[in-house]
Amino acid sequence: MLEIKNITKRFGNVEAVTDVSISVPDGAFLVLLGPSGCGKTTLLRMLAGLELPSMGQILFGGQLVSDGDRNWSVDPAKRHSGLVFQSYALWPHMSVRGNVDWPLKVMKMPRAERTARADDVLRLLDIHQLAERYPNEISGGQQQRVAIARTIAPKPSVLLFDEPLSNLDAKLRVEMRTELMRLHRATGATTVYVTHDQIEAMTMASHVAVMNEGRVQQFGSPNDLIKRPQTAFVATFVGTPPNNVVPVVRNGAGWTVGGRHMPIDPPTESCLAMYRAEAMRLSDSPTQRSLPMELVEISTIAGRTMVTGLSGDLRLTAILDRAVIARIGETVQFELPEAPQCWFAPDGERIG
């Protein structure tokens, strides 16, 4: 349904998106995941037709809608897509019903059909009781529902969301995630969702594209990203908590990990070792594979204890089955497993 072919976007001398290629089937829920400034919103704006690619093509349902090589693009209003902005962008002088009715009026839909369609989407989003209120008379979560209702009213084939939950509190975010997933099942529209929140990505997506510095670091299912990260960036960005990635450096006849000599057998002269947090342990005393670190964080997750240690620039996290006796600020021994879960080259690419 959605094809992105070698898309590049430049703003002057700055390359915001570099050679991105993604393809997802009809009805997919694609999440563009990455830190601020990674290019995900720029890519979404090109999908919406608000930005023209510098190079590459975008196709919806096999139909070309943007061609950067020919400097050509289909008008946003003719793409049969809908965009939900981060700021909601509701018309303040229109009621809830008026906001939902407006795009249908622009389509020149007959009044009776507009009324029926508006009623349908207001009930689908459970805001029909707010129909005659104005945006300043309803909560942020309700405004977000109105923005979504307005977007889906014309029945777009592609739904685009630009960090739609970032302005909501934690409880509302969880509730709205559930609502968006229900909405996706109900409409069947191919959905592209931008976020920096990897929990949102892992819980909602059928496909995830992890972006950094304008490039796609890895594309696949949420399970693929967790089980087999292809770069050190993905390993440390995805997961709760993320994986530990530690430099391994030759020192004389042996190897140092985190600045300490350890019995380890890396595949190359200098590389990065990945250890999952659940494979880490705290030892009561120094061992061959332990690193002394300052305890900087202790928290409880699903009945287990998450502890984080800091030593210089190195930060390690472990998930333990037992409570921790040590206190914040004390030195504890983080013990590494006998072998890492995988290796990365110095440039961050996975080895093997």
Side-chain angles (χ1 to χ4, degrees):
M1 172 59 194
L2 172 64
E3 294 180 86
I4 302 170
K5 297 183 176 180
N6 307 111
I7 285 293
T8 294
K9 177 62 180 178
R10 301 186 187 92
F11 296 98
N13 295 325
V14 177
E15 200 159 89
V17 175
T18 303
D19 196 25
V20 169
S21 295
I22 299 171
S23 178
V24 295
D26 188 21
F29 197 117
L30 169 64
V31 172
L32 304 179
L33 173 67
S36 298
C38 71
K40 56 188 186 296
T41 294
T42 299
L43 182 55
L44 188 82
R45 288 176 61 83
M46 287 189 281
L47 293 175
L50 303 180
E51 299 284 355
L52 179 66
S54 303
M55 295 175 60
Q57 294 81 36
I58 298 172
L59 295 90
F60 288 173
Q63 300 296 314
L64 189 66
V65 295
S66 287
D67 191 334
D69 300 333
R70 293 191 296 154
N71 199 36
W72 173 87
S73 182
V74 172
D75 187 89
K78 299 178 180 179
R79 294 189 174 212
H80 206 47
S81 64
L83 173 61
V84 178
F85 294 94
Q86 181 178 353
S87 61
Y88 313 150
L90 299 178
W91 295 103
H93 64 288
M94 291 184 182
S95 66
V96 166
R97 179 182 292 279
N99 270 275
V100 175
D101 182 71
W102 175 251
L104 304 178
K105 186 181 292 187
V106 172
M107 294 171 59
K108 299 186 177 359
M109 183 181 288
R111 180 186 295 272
E113 291 183 32
R114 294 203 317 261
T115 300
R117 179 58 182 163
D119 285 341
D120 286 344
V121 296
L122 289 173
R123 291 187 183 278
L124 181 64
L125 274 298
D126 195 25
I127 50 174
H128 56 282
Q129 71 278 11
L130 307 175
E132 305 310 319
R133 295 191 191 181
Y134 287 84
N136 66 342
E137 298 174 334
I138 59 179
S139 69
Q142 292 167 335
Q143 289 181 38
Q144 183 60 283
R145 289 172 186 259
V146 176
I148 294 170
R150 180 183 60 186
T151 301
I152 68 172
K155 297 184 179 180
S157 299
V158 179
L159 281 173
L160 308 171
F161 292 91
D162 185 12
E163 302 202 50
L165 308 184
S166 60
N167 294 330
L168 304 181
D169 62 45
K171 183 174 182 293
L172 269 179
R173 286 173 75 99
V174 174
E175 292 176 356
M176 283 304 299
R177 282 207 305 263
T178 302
E179 288 300 309
L180 286 174
M181 293 169 70
R182 182 179 64 83
L183 179 68
H184 178 249
R185 292 193 299 270
T187 62
T190 302
T191 300
V192 183
Y193 186 101
V194 163
T195 184
H196 62 270
D197 187 331
Q198 56 100 10
I199 295 178
E200 286 183 11
M202 296 299 106
T203 55
M204 299 173 69
S206 62
H207 302 72
V208 181
V210 181
M211 298 186 66
N212 189 38
E213 297 181 344
R215 296 181 180 272
V216 172
Q217 295 273 315
Q218 187 171 348
F219 172 65
S221 69
N223 190 58
D224 290 337
L225 303 181
I226 295 292
K227 297 293 186 183
R228 190 173 173 81
Q230 293 301 305
T231 69
F233 175 81
V234 173
T236 55
F237 192 78
V238 174
T240 306
N243 299 295
N244 301 292
V245 174
V246 185
V248 178
V249 180
R250 178 177 284 282
N251 190 340
W255 303 90
T256 61
V257 179
R260 290 198 66 198
H261 282 278
M262 283 195 188
I264 194 168
D265 186 22
T268 61
E269 282 289 304
S270 182
C271 56
L272 304 169
M274 188 193 87
Y275 299 95
R276 298 194 185 278
E278 57 268 27
M280 303 282 290
R281 295 289 181 268
L282 291 189
S283 59
D284 296 329
S285 57
T287 70
Q288 279 190 316
R289 298 193 310 276
S290 68
L291 295 172
M293 309 192 81
E294 179 189 355
L295 188 61
V296 295
E297 185 177 309
I298 304 173
S299 59
T300 301
I301 298 180
R304 306 179 76 188
T305 303
M306 183 177 77
V307 295
T308 301
L310 193 64
S311 177
D313 295 331
L314 182 62
R315 186 182 184 93
L316 296 179
T317 299
I319 295 289
L320 309 174
D321 292 325
R322 59 181 175 84
V324 177
I325 299 175
R327 298 180 178 181
I328 299 295
E330 294 182 353
T331 298
V332 295
Q333 299 289 329
F334 276 73
E335 186 170 9
L336 305 177
E338 290 188 9
Q341 275 67 54
C342 69
W343 298 94
F344 298 104
D347 64 0
E349 292 294 320
R350 185 170 178 136
I351 299 173

